[in-house]
Amino acid sequence: MVARERVKRAFIIAGEPSGDKLGGALMDGLKILSPGVAFDGVGGPLMQAEGLESRFPMDELSVMGIAEILPKYRALKARIRETAQAVIESKPDVLITIDSPDFSFRVAKLVKKSSSIRTVHYVAPTVWAWRPGRAAKISKYVDHLLALFPFEPPHFTPHGMACDFVGHPVVAEPIATQPEADAFRAEYGIGSAPLLMVLPGSRQGEVGRLAGIFGDAVSPVLAQHPNLRVVVPAAGPVLRQVKDAVSRWPVNALVLDPSEKTPEAAASVKRAAFRAADIALAASGTVSLELAASRTPMVVAYRMHWLSYRLIRAMALVDTVTLVNLVSDTRVVPEFLGPKCESGAIGQALNDVLQNPRAQIDAMGITMERLGQGGEAPGLRAARAILDRTEI
């Protein structure tokens, strides 16, 4: 028997913008299914809009990569202890941590060591990709996992954890219509010219490592398509850095500045650009699923700190990191990672995909279907899974 009314206080933690988005949708779902639920914890603007008063700025936790974490380790360790103590003292009905495993799991471990508070982690760790031993390890302090991908639960349930596939948030995001894409092309004078979207990342380190390589990769495409147009949606925190890098590219690229419009209008223009683009060059990450939702063919590339790359590569269990390839069980999206992230090879792959995009478009349709497109919103589904696992 389950008791949804039992969850009246939830301590919820997110460490970066993607987690904040998941947390905001989850909080909305919990409020619908468990009216009166109160929240405590750490989160960004979307979670705060749902009623969370963050204990400290979420930005303090937005660190990615092994080598990148080391300089901030002392401050992060202090926040881990502080946050775990806050959870223990507030005695919530459930602790929900969202992604950011380096922070989240350490907090959950300390909480479990000193209490019986139920722990839920949203976004199952990628044990199918690397470090499979994590499944058994986290089972000691995580009671319940919420998975974004349908193939993940069998990797965790043998270790005694509940694990529910709740759908990927990309399936709930709005998608631009073809008329909106046509209007975007008309507004910026693109017409019927081939349009390349370039997405060099949303963090300063990513843009610093990728923008020059991505710019050089445009040249081979420009050689085959002299009327090529290029659009670069820029995240606010790296806008100046992106504009500076793009100014040195061999083409006059259109940089979409989110500060020139309201957040809603900027998001609408970005969606239209996604739909309007014939092809995209993207940093590895969840943006590949946004492109898949818009049926925009892509090439994926990423260069990280050499130490992080070597360590991750040595432990990898899969031959691709691109989510469209993994979910569709194909390898149709070319990817160039680490030392293979080289402009000439990337440019050639862009030309190849432009010439024959059909296989990617088919794989994108399969991907969206398997991630829950057309079903209940993932935030509501995640809330329901948490409440349905609350046994009397």
Side-chain angles (χ1 to χ4, degrees):
M1 183 178 180
V2 297
R4 289 181 180 158
E5 69 277 12
R6 186 178 173 187
V7 176
K8 289 299 183 183
R9 290 177 297 125
F11 199 108
I12 185 167
I13 301 168
E16 56 185 323
S18 60
D20 183 46
K21 182 180 289 189
L22 289 172
L26 171 60
M27 290 169 66
D28 181 60
L30 285 171
K31 289 193 295 185
I32 291 171
L33 298 177
S34 186
V37 62
F39 301 105
D40 193 357
V42 180
L46 297 178
M47 290 168 64
Q48 291 172 35
E50 294 294 336
L52 177 71
E53 185 174 337
S54 187
R55 286 180 172 259
F56 56 84
M58 184 188 71
D59 293 349
E60 293 186 19
L61 308 182
S62 296
V63 186
M64 182 179 181
I66 297 168
E68 292 80 359
I69 287 173
L70 292 177
K72 298 185 178 181
Y73 179 72
R74 188 181 297 273
L76 285 171
K77 192 172 181 179
R79 284 301 195 193
I80 288 166
R81 291 193 302 266
E82 171 190 329
T83 305
Q85 189 59 37
V87 176
I88 293 166
E89 291 177 356
S90 63
K91 298 179 181 178
D93 296 313
V94 61
L95 165 64
I96 305 167
T97 54
I98 305 174
D99 213 358
S100 302
D102 293 304
F103 186 85
S104 295
F105 289 150
R106 285 170 171 82
V107 170
K109 187 175 182 179
L110 289 175
V111 169
K112 273 298 184 186
K113 187 176 180 179
S114 302
S115 76
S116 58
I117 295 169
R118 188 164 69 101
T119 55
V120 177
H121 186 69
Y122 196 174
V123 184
T126 54
V127 299
W128 40 268
W130 67 305
R131 292 170 57 198
R134 287 176 294 168
K137 184 177 180 180
I138 68 171
S139 67
K140 297 180 176 66
Y141 43 83
V142 173
D143 300 312
H144 183 193
L145 281 168
L146 304 178
L148 303 188
F149 300 106
F151 54 78
E152 293 183 306
H155 292 276
F156 298 97
T157 51
H159 300 283
M161 283 176 287
C163 186
D164 294 307
F165 166 60
V166 297
H168 196 285
V170 71
V171 303
E173 294 292 322
I175 303 169
T177 63
Q178 189 57 50
E180 288 171 330
D182 294 340
F184 175 86
R185 282 177 166 267
E187 180 179 353
Y188 293 100
I190 298 169
S192 60
L195 180 60
L196 166 65
M197 173 177 285
V198 180
L199 299 152
S202 59
R203 297 179 175 89
Q204 290 183 358
E206 290 174 333
V207 175
R209 289 187 296 270
L210 296 175
I213 297 170
F214 282 15
D216 290 343
V218 172
S219 294
V221 188
L222 197 59
Q224 289 199 21
H225 304 275
N227 61 337
L228 179 75
R229 298 293 301 273
V230 176
V231 60
V232 186
V238 294
L239 174 63
R240 183 174 298 180
Q241 186 182 12
V242 168
K243 284 185 173 181
D244 180 62
V246 166
S247 69
R248 296 188 290 273
W249 287 6
V251 66
N252 185 21
L254 167 65
V255 178
L256 299 182
D257 183 348
S259 67
E260 294 177 348
K261 302 178 182 295
T262 66
E264 294 78 13
S268 178
V269 170
K270 181 180 176 181
R271 289 194 297 269
F274 270 60
R275 182 67 182 266
D278 295 292
I279 191 168
L281 170 56
S284 175
T286 56
V287 70
S288 66
L289 294 182
E290 296 180 55
L291 291 166
S294 294
R295 304 300 193 270
T296 305
M298 73 192 86
V299 171
V300 167
Y302 201 80
R303 179 172 287 180
M304 64 184 72
H305 190 283
W306 69 269
L307 177 59
S308 298
Y309 176 78
R310 279 179 172 271
L311 291 172
I312 292 172
R313 185 65 181 170
M315 293 182 281
L317 301 176
V318 291
D319 62 348
T320 179
V321 300
T322 302
L323 294 169
V324 172
N325 287 343
L326 288 165
V327 177
S328 67
D329 197 23
T330 67
R331 298 296 182 266
V332 294
V333 177
E335 60 183 23
F336 301 87
L337 309 178
K340 294 182 179 179
C341 183
E342 189 272 326
S343 58
I346 294 170
Q348 182 58 54
L350 287 168
N351 281 326
D352 292 344
V353 174
L354 265 174
Q355 186 174 358
N356 185 18
R358 187 71 253 171
Q360 276 203 33
I361 293 172
D362 291 343
M364 291 171 185
I366 294 170
T367 298
M368 290 300 106
E369 180 182 357
R370 290 179 178 175
L371 293 182
Q373 192 171 59
E376 189 174 60
L380 186 62
R381 196 167 166 177
R384 194 183 308 282
I386 291 172
L387 297 172
D388 284 351
R389 294 282 187 177
T390 306
E391 296 183 359
I392 294 179

